[in-house]
Coordinates of all heavy atoms in Angstrom, one line a residue:
E27 N -12.5 23.8 -1.3 CA -13.3 24.4 -0.3 C -14.9 24.4 -0.8 O -15.1 24.3 -1.9 CB -12.9 25.9 -0.2 CG -11.4 26.0 0.3 CD -11.0 27.6 0.6 OE1 -11.9 28.3 1.1 OE2 -9.8 27.9 0.2
T46 N -19.5 24.5 -3.8 CA -20.8 24.3 -3.9 C -21.5 25.0 -2.6 O -21.2 24.4 -1.5 CB -21.1 22.8 -3.9 OG1 -20.5 22.1 -5.0 CG2 -22.7 22.5 -3.9
G78 N -8.3 7.9 3.9 CA -7.8 7.2 4.8 C -6.2 6.8 4.6 O -5.7 6.8 3.6
E112 N 7.2 -12.7 19.2 CA 6.3 -13.2 18.2 C 5.9 -14.5 18.3 O 4.9 -15.2 18.0 CB 7.1 -13.0 16.8 CG 7.2 -11.5 16.4 CD 7.6 -11.5 14.9 OE1 7.4 -12.4 14.1 OE2 8.3 -10.4 14.7
A150 N -2.9 -18.1 14.0 CA -2.8 -16.7 14.4 C -3.0 -15.8 13.3 O -3.7 -14.8 13.3 CB -1.6 -16.4 15.1
D203 N -13.6 -14.0 2.6 CA -13.7 -12.8 1.8 C -13.4 -13.2 0.3 O -12.4 -12.8 -0.2 CB -12.8 -11.7 2.3 CG -13.3 -10.3 1.7 OD1 -14.2 -10.4 0.8 OD2 -12.6 -9.3 2.1
G230 N 7.9 -18.5 -4.9 CA 8.0 -18.0 -6.2 C 6.8 -18.7 -7.0 O 6.2 -18.1 -7.8
A233 N 3.5 -17.6 -6.1 CA 3.3 -16.1 -6.8 C 3.0 -16.2 -8.2 O 2.0 -15.6 -8.7 CB 4.5 -15.4 -6.6
E249 N 23.2 -2.4 6.7 CA 24.3 -3.0 6.2 C 24.5 -4.4 6.8 O 24.9 -5.4 6.1 CB 25.5 -2.0 6.7 CG 26.8 -2.3 5.9 CD 26.9 -1.9 4.5 OE1 26.3 -0.9 4.2 OE2 27.3 -2.7 3.7
F259 N 23.8 -16.3 0.1 CA 23.5 -16.4 -1.3 C 24.8 -16.0 -2.0 O 24.6 -14.9 -2.7 CB 22.2 -15.8 -1.6 CG 21.0 -16.3 -1.0 CD1 20.6 -15.9 0.2 CD2 20.3 -17.3 -1.7 CE1 19.4 -16.4 0.8 CE2 19.1 -17.8 -1.1 CZ 18.7 -17.3 0.1
Y290 N 22.1 0.3 -9.7 CA 21.8 -0.8 -10.3 C 20.4 -1.2 -9.6 O 19.5 -1.4 -10.4 CB 22.8 -1.8 -10.3 CG 22.2 -3.3 -11.0 CD1 22.1 -3.4 -12.3 CD2 21.7 -4.2 -10.1 CE1 21.6 -4.5 -12.8 CE2 21.4 -5.4 -10.6 CZ 21.3 -5.5 -11.8 OH 20.8 -6.7 -12.4
L298 N 11.1 -3.1 -12.9 CA 10.2 -4.0 -12.5 C 8.9 -3.6 -11.8 O 8.0 -4.4 -11.5 CB 10.8 -5.1 -11.5 CG 12.0 -5.9 -12.2 CD1 12.9 -6.5 -11.1 CD2 11.5 -6.9 -13.3
S356 N 14.5 12.9 5.3 CA 14.9 13.4 3.9 C 15.7 14.6 4.0 O 16.8 14.9 3.3 CB 13.7 13.7 3.1 OG 13.0 14.8 3.5
G386 N -0.1 7.2 -2.7 CA 1.0 6.5 -3.0 C 1.1 5.1 -2.3 O 1.6 4.1 -2.9
V411 N -11.1 14.9 10.0 CA -10.0 15.5 10.9 C -10.7 16.8 11.6 O -11.3 17.6 10.9 CB -8.8 15.9 10.1 CG1 -7.8 16.6 10.8 CG2 -8.1 14.5 9.6
K436 N -1.1 21.8 10.4 CA -1.2 21.7 11.8 C -1.6 20.3 12.3 O -1.1 19.8 13.3 CB -2.1 22.7 12.3 CG -1.5 24.1 12.5 CD -2.4 25.1 13.0 CE -1.8 26.5 13.2 NZ -2.8 27.5 13.7
G453 N -17.3 3.4 2.9 CA -18.5 4.2 3.4 C -19.0 3.8 4.7 O -19.9 4.4 5.3
H457 N -14.7 3.7 13.0 CA -14.3 4.3 14.3 C -14.9 5.7 14.5 O -15.1 6.4 13.5 CB -12.7 4.4 14.3 CG -12.3 5.2 15.5 ND1 -12.2 4.7 16.8 CD2 -11.8 6.6 15.7 CE1 -11.8 5.6 17.7 NE2 -11.7 6.7 17.0

Side-chain angles (χ1 to χ4, degrees):
E27 298 183 38
T46 306
E112 290 187 27
D203 195 355
E249 195 70 44
F259 293 88
Y290 171 80
L298 293 167
S356 77
V411 169
K436 285 183 173 182
H457 172 73

